[in-house]
Amino acid sequence: MNGAGRPGRFWSARRVPAGLTALVLFGALGLLLYDIVSERTGHPVMEWRRWLAEQLATRPLHDGWIVGIAVALVVIGAWMVALALTPGLRGLLPMGDADSHAENDADAIRAGIDRTAVRLVLLDRAMAVPGVRAVRVDVGRRRIRARAQAHFRDLDEVRADLLTALGDGIRQLGLARRPGLSVSVRRPAR
């Protein structure tokens, strides 16, 4: 839970990218350490290290290859920092339980619902409203938009019924942060 007492967003574990990055770095550093120890014990330096030292000594800093590699490394580093600092699992909406509060955060159970599941639940509720011919529901993290086509009832009545049905559906889902709801109703094109 965050400081406001409301459950925050879910963070993805990102175990696979972290494991692959660790393996690549471990292998590269192990190879470099092996070459340094080999050199210190009187063996010749590996060819790749000799070539790299020669390239770094002879190429100017404004060379296209040097600048390109530096830019690529900065982009990869910034991407890794962004992954580390941002929550993943954007498709999960956190759910909260207003009736029971755990003694401490360790006892609290975190629950979430996928945005696609929320869309399907609200789509079923909207199609149950009399007069609705077709409906499209878009679920975002902060707003739910419903666009419906009505074919035999007054548009204002259908809109009011849709607002009631979808509002009840959102409340019954038990989301920690209730998203805003916007509903538009029109007649189908002839």
Side-chain angles (χ1 to χ4, degrees), residues 27-64:
L29 291 175
L31 186 62
L32 180 64
L33 181 62
Y34 173 79
D35 193 39
I36 290 173
V37 169
S38 176
E39 179 189 7
R40 297 288 180 189
T41 58
H43 294 36
V45 177
M46 287 184 165
E47 185 60 36
W48 68 268
R49 198 163 142 223
R50 184 178 299 125
W51 177 84
L52 182 62
E54 180 182 319
Q55 292 296 320
L56 290 174
T58 59
R59 287 186 186 260
L61 288 179
H62 62 275
D63 184 51

Side-chain angles (χ1 to χ4, degrees), residues 125-147:
R125 283 189 165 262
M127 288 304 294
V129 171
V132 172
R133 179 178 183 177
V135 67
R136 178 178 174 172
V137 178
D138 296 320
V139 178
R141 287 188 356 244
R142 293 191 173 97
R143 177 158 297 281
I144 295 175
R145 290 180 179 84
R147 293 184 292 272

Side-chain angles (χ1 to χ4, degrees), residues 1 63 67 70 78 103:
M1 295 223 181
D63 184 51
V67 172
E103 294 287 326

Side-chain angles (χ1 to χ4, degrees), residues 154-169:
D154 182 48
L155 295 181
D156 291 333
E157 291 176 7
V158 173
R159 185 178 189 285
D161 288 348
L162 272 173
L163 279 170
T164 302
L166 295 178
D168 289 343

Side-chain angles (χ1 to χ4, degrees), residues 1-153:
M1 295 223 181
N2 58 19
R6 218 170 30 197
R9 289 187 30 215
F10 288 93
W11 286 71
S12 67
R14 295 186 177 107
R15 289 184 182 104
V16 173
L20 290 175
T21 302
L23 281 175
V24 167
L25 288 175
F26 182 73
L29 291 175
L31 186 62
L32 180 64
L33 181 62
Y34 173 79
D35 193 39
I36 290 173
V37 169
S38 176
E39 179 189 7
R40 297 288 180 189
T41 58
H43 294 36
V45 177
M46 287 184 165
E47 185 60 36
W48 68 268
R49 198 163 142 223
R50 184 178 299 125
W51 177 84
L52 182 62
E54 180 182 319
Q55 292 296 320
L56 290 174
T58 59
R59 287 186 186 260
L61 288 179
H62 62 275
D63 184 51
W65 284 100
I66 301 293
V67 172
I69 291 172
V71 167
L73 289 175
V74 167
V75 168
I76 290 170
W79 177 62
M80 291 175 75
V81 168
L83 283 177
L85 295 178
T86 58
L89 302 176
R90 296 176 60 88
L92 278 182
L93 296 175
M95 300 172 73
D97 188 8
D99 297 334
S100 65
H101 296 287
E103 294 287 326
N104 56 25
D105 289 343
D107 294 337
I109 296 175
R110 300 271 327 264
I113 186 168
D114 189 63
R115 282 199 257 178
T116 305
V118 172
R119 185 181 71 78
L120 291 174
V121 167
L122 296 178
L123 190 66
D124 284 345
R125 283 189 165 262
M127 288 304 294
V129 171
V132 172
R133 179 178 183 177
V135 67
R136 178 178 174 172
V137 178
D138 296 320
V139 178
R141 287 188 356 244
R142 293 191 173 97
R143 177 158 297 281
I144 295 175
R145 290 180 179 84
R147 293 184 292 272
Q149 292 181 356
H151 57 99
F152 66 85
R153 288 180 61 201

